[in-house]
Amino acid sequence: MPIASLLPEKWFADLATIPLVAISVVSLVALIKGADWLVEAASEGAAKLGVSQLTIAATIVSIGTTTPEMTVSVLAALEGNSGMALGNAIGSIIADTGLIFGLGLLITQLPAKSKMLHKQGWLQAGSVILLAAICYGSYMLAVDKLDPNSGERLAYISRGVGVLFLCLLVGYVLLNIKWSRAEAREEKIPGGSGQPDATEAHKPRSGFMLLVMGVVGLSLVIAGGDALINSVTIIATRAGIPDAVIAGTLVAFGTSLPELMVGLTAIRKGHYEVLIGNVIGADILNVLFVIGCAALAKPIPLGGENGWIVLTKQLPAAIIIIFLMRLFIFMSKDSGVFKRWMGIPLLASYVIYVTLSFLG
């Protein structure tokens, strides 16, 4: 089956199974090491810049980890594949919040005391609601505009919407920095929360070294995740596993591998704000950055079967999961921590979404 990826599929298609297994192992190691460097660079860089780890994770790290989704969605939009262009971004929102944040909540007790978290949470919810309003509004306004050949509604996410989203993206980054600097001045704790483990004690690195670590780490995360999914998908196809099962599990899971590995590494190192910030930032950027770039490249149609799936399955699932996270942020405001049980409904929502998508 065709694989939506950054690395050419032909690099893997003609390889024997044993080399593909070897690539899978090496890719997994690259993912782990890359996430390790990326989290270290983000946490130390936050301290040097005088901003919280959550801010760095929600902006710089999230832009990096959502770059694969942006590339795939732009290419899909140019090819007229609206299902991939939109489904890739919305599905990532569902996976990031339901799977990754839900899993993080079950593994450890995550902090919820930061004022920045509550502000970011509103932006996260607002971006998804804005996307839903534009999609449903465009579809309803096109009720009398039908394609003479197919009979489908001529509803689109236009280039104008793409420009709007990208302008909001610039505003989001600037607002994030402003908020974080204000928070750092108030709390006098520039590095954010989260307790690094004792093994991380080392001589402070220079800003240039942190930049190199971040870029190399991000590159390993993206390339390692892409190579891993390519090789595992081909192995699964050769084993006779149906394409529908592969698409609904391996490929869908693969687009969220960077965020997952960064999140698990952040938990292991005690930099919890990196996990939280990356999830929230990735959700916002999947709307403003991924869909913004895709719509700017080519208007994304909402008519037909793909548009109907987005409107009736994917967007409702994203709204429900984002609502749950918004509710849990509000419930945790007084205690300053998320309760572990909160991960159960988030993970359950993700599993239900994947199951319903697979069943059609």
Side-chain angles (χ1 to χ4, degrees), residues 19 32 35 62-64 67 102 132 158 161 165 224 238 257 272 287 332 339 341:
I32 295 171
S62 293
I63 287 174
T67 295
S158 67
V161 171
F165 281 176
R238 291 177 182 175
L257 259 181
Y272 305 131
V287 175
S332 306
K339 301 295 188 295
W341 66 262

Side-chain angles (χ1 to χ4, degrees), residues 96-347:
D96 291 342
T97 310
L99 173 63
I100 299 173
F101 189 66
L103 189 61
L105 287 172
L106 288 179
I107 293 174
T108 189
Q109 191 169 61
L110 297 175
K113 63 182 179 180
S114 171
K115 292 181 181 179
M116 181 65 70
L117 168 63
H118 300 282
K119 293 177 181 178
Q120 292 276 3
W122 282 115
L123 293 179
Q124 176 194 33
S127 63
V128 174
I129 291 171
L130 176 61
L131 174 64
I134 288 173
C135 288
Y136 290 123
S138 299
Y139 191 80
M140 292 175 64
L141 290 173
V143 63
D144 296 324
K145 301 176 182 178
L146 304 178
D147 186 302
N149 297 318
S150 64
E152 297 175 356
R153 291 196 192 189
L154 297 175
Y156 297 90
I157 297 180
S158 67
R159 282 195 170 98
V161 171
V163 171
L164 171 64
F165 281 176
L166 292 177
C167 288
L168 290 175
L169 172 62
V170 174
Y172 164 70
V173 173
L174 296 176
L175 187 62
N176 227 320
I177 294 173
K178 177 182 177 182
W179 280 348
S180 184
R181 287 192 180 278
E183 183 182 44
R185 286 195 298 269
E186 290 175 6
E187 299 183 1
K188 305 297 183 182
I189 306 176
S193 63
Q195 300 299 320
D197 56 41
T199 61
E200 286 194 87
H202 54 70
K203 182 180 178 180
R205 300 182 178 95
S206 66
F208 176 75
M209 181 57 67
L210 291 175
L211 177 62
V212 172
M213 281 182 61
V215 171
V216 173
L218 178 61
S219 300
L220 286 174
V221 167
I222 293 174
D226 214 41
L228 178 63
I229 294 304
N230 267 286
S231 54
V232 170
T233 299
I234 291 174
I235 292 172
T237 301
R238 291 177 182 175
I241 299 175
D243 284 354
V245 175
I246 296 172
T249 54
L250 293 177
V251 177
F253 175 74
T255 59
S256 293
L257 259 181
E259 288 90 346
L260 177 61
M261 292 307 300
V262 168
L264 293 177
T265 302
I267 290 175
R268 178 169 59 84
K269 289 181 169 289
H271 297 305
Y272 305 131
E273 283 198 347
V274 174
L275 180 151
I276 299 169
N278 191 32
V279 167
I280 293 178
D283 286 351
I284 296 169
L285 291 172
N286 268 301
V287 175
L288 304 183
F289 181 45
V290 177
I291 296 178
C293 287
L296 186 61
K298 187 177 181 180
I300 305 172
L302 292 168
E305 182 181 3
N306 285 332
W308 187 247
I309 291 174
V310 167
L311 295 171
T312 60
K313 292 184 178 180
Q314 293 176 340
L315 274 175
I319 292 170
I320 290 171
I321 286 181
I322 291 298
F323 171 79
L324 284 175
M325 184 166 182
R326 180 65 250 171
L327 176 63
F328 295 156
I329 291 175
F330 176 77
M331 290 172 63
S332 306
K333 187 175 182 179
D334 293 333
S335 65
V337 293
F338 290 100
K339 301 295 188 295
R340 288 194 176 186
W341 66 262
M342 294 175 178
I344 297 175
L346 286 173
L347 274 174

Side-chain angles (χ1 to χ4, degrees), residues 9 72 91 146 180 317 340 355 359:
E9 183 185 355
V72 169
L146 304 178
S180 184
R340 288 194 176 186
T355 302
L359 294 176

